Amino acid sequence: MSGDLESISEATSGAIGALVSTTILYPLDTCKAKYQAEVQAHGLRKYRNLSDVLLEAISSGKVLSLYQGLGTKNLQSFIAQFVYFYGYSYFKRLYLERSGAKSIGTRANLIIAAAAGACTALATQPLDTASSRMQTSAFGKSKGLWKTLTEGSWSEAFDGLGISLLLTSNPAIQYTVFDQLKQHLLKGKEKTTEKDSSPVVLSAFSAFALGALSKSIATVLTYPAIRCKVMIQAADDDEDKKAEPKSSKTISGVICSIWKKEGILGFFKGLHAQILKTVLSSALLLMIKEKISASTWVLILALRRILLIRQRRLKST
């Protein structure tokens, strides 16, 4: 029972952290998504820099449109992080119980993180696709969640699932790096801490720094796949739907389009924006998660004691 409560604690704190970080950084996320989704054609670009997206929203008087799809994104982020952290914590505990090992090696950690990421992708892909379409729609023309999901076929709601499964390597790399560095930092503190005291946790600054470093490494390694996914899930303007065939939204079609129109550097267009957004988001998420975990652990211990007391009273009666 304590293992399940620990997994729920990890999942809940991670989900809350994702919710807060997503809301704070959402305008940046919208600018990033619209910038990444654009493919240069005949040497012409609508957005030459990330700031051009923001200037468009300001000049058109639609600054609030930078928040279009926020509700869907928050729902997707909350569910995704809950599923991921619960799966990651559960698989890690299961591995330690079955193997008898005291700690998890790098290889096992990568496999566990990838498995948790795959479960997350399968559970949240329709919401992920819908939020991407809502973000990349023209300012002021974003549709609601239900209309976005039902305007196409059910299979289209899972656009980009293949790349999403491939991108399970991103959080796998991120959390493996984070956990290894975290264990190294906490090893010295655990020796001086009493066994019955609360678990040792990272400071807010340490969690933020480790989150930023781990996410930077994962983002650089997986960015070409990230941009392809954004383009596949991006909303089409009415003119684009008539001009371009559906094949351009497949993985091979997107790769060929980037290669022909932008060259190899096109696969890294918007990398600086992706790093800025994801590093800040992940660092905030992990910082909030670490601080919440300390509090939720105390609440869980109290809850467990209350349940034990009730069970004893029921047995005695």
Side-chain angles (χ1 to χ4, degrees):
M1 180 178 177
S2 60
D4 290 336
L5 290 176
E6 183 178 354
S7 296
I8 292 175
S9 173
E10 288 287 309
T12 302
S13 58
I16 294 174
L19 192 66
V20 175
S21 63
T22 296
T23 301
I24 293 174
L25 299 174
Y26 195 75
L28 174 61
D29 191 29
T30 298
C31 291
K32 173 194 68 68
K34 291 179 74 68
Y35 181 68
Q36 288 174 323
E38 183 190 30
V39 179
Q40 179 178 339
H42 307 295
L44 300 176
R45 291 184 184 178
K46 183 179 181 181
Y47 306 122
R48 293 187 176 276
N49 299 291
L50 183 67
S51 58
D52 290 342
V53 185
L54 177 61
L55 291 175
E56 180 189 7
I58 295 175
S59 61
S60 62
K62 298 179 179 178
V63 178
L64 293 180
S65 292
L66 291 172
Y67 289 91
Q68 60 190 25
L70 175 60
T72 301
K73 191 70 172 182
N74 273 336
L75 179 61
Q76 186 264 335
S77 296
F78 187 88
I79 295 175
Q81 292 301 323
F82 186 91
V83 173
Y84 182 85
F85 279 110
Y86 184 87
Y88 182 75
S89 178
Y90 176 80
F91 291 143
K92 183 167 65 174
R93 178 168 53 85
L94 188 63
Y95 171 82
L96 291 175
E97 291 177 354
R98 295 290 179 86
S99 64
K102 295 182 179 180
S103 61
I104 300 177
T106 302
R107 182 179 299 179
N109 212 340
L110 281 169
I111 295 174
I112 290 171
C119 293
T120 302
L122 291 170
T124 63
Q125 189 62 32
L127 289 173
D128 186 31
T129 301
S131 64
S132 293
R133 289 177 181 170
M134 295 166 78
Q135 278 187 307
T136 54
S137 296
F139 287 131
K141 296 184 178 180
S142 176
K143 302 173 183 177
L145 173 58
W146 181 250
K147 190 171 183 179
T148 301
L149 287 175
T150 57
E151 65 180 355
S153 64
W154 178 246
S155 62
E156 289 177 11
F158 286 88
D159 279 349
L161 178 59
I163 294 183
S164 293
L165 292 174
L166 175 63
L167 286 173
T168 56
S169 59
N170 185 291
I173 295 170
Q174 175 195 356
Y175 291 115
T176 297
V177 174
F178 182 84
D179 271 356
Q180 295 302 314
L181 293 176
K182 176 183 173 181
Q183 289 177 19
H184 179 73
L185 288 176
L186 296 182
K187 186 176 294 184
K189 293 182 179 181
E190 289 178 350
K191 293 180 181 180
T192 59
T193 302
E194 296 180 2
K195 293 183 179 181
D196 297 332
S197 61
S198 300
V200 179
V201 297
L202 292 175
S203 66
F205 177 79
S206 296
F208 187 94
L210 292 187
L213 177 60
S214 60
K215 193 60 179 182
S216 294
I217 294 172
T219 299
V220 172
L221 293 176
T222 60
Y223 186 74
I226 292 173
R227 195 192 173 200
C228 288
K229 178 186 174 184
V230 172
M231 292 180 61
I232 288 175
Q233 295 180 326
D236 288 327
D237 293 332
D238 292 335
E239 295 181 359
D240 293 334
K241 291 179 180 179
K242 297 178 181 179
E244 294 198 18
K246 183 64 178 177
S247 60
S248 64
K249 304 296 285 187
T250 63
I251 296 177
S252 59
V254 166
I255 292 175
C256 289
S257 179
I258 295 175
W259 179 264
K260 291 178 180 179
K261 297 178 180 180
E262 298 180 345
I264 191 170
L265 293 180
F267 290 100
F268 292 92
K269 177 188 175 184
L271 175 60
H272 63 290
Q274 183 73 29
I275 290 179
L276 176 62
K277 184 267 171 181
T278 55
V279 166
L280 289 175
S281 177
S282 295
L284 283 171
L285 186 157
L286 292 171
M287 179 182 69
I288 295 169
K289 173 182 174 293
E290 288 297 318
K291 304 312 293 182
I292 291 177
S293 293
S295 300
T296 53
W297 180 252
V298 174
L299 293 175
I300 285 173
L301 291 179
L303 176 62
R304 185 184 181 189
R305 175 168 292 185
I306 291 173
L307 292 175
L308 289 174
I309 292 174
R310 287 185 176 181
Q311 288 179 357
R312 290 173 182 174
R313 288 180 178 176
L314 289 174
K315 288 181 180 180
S316 62
T317 57

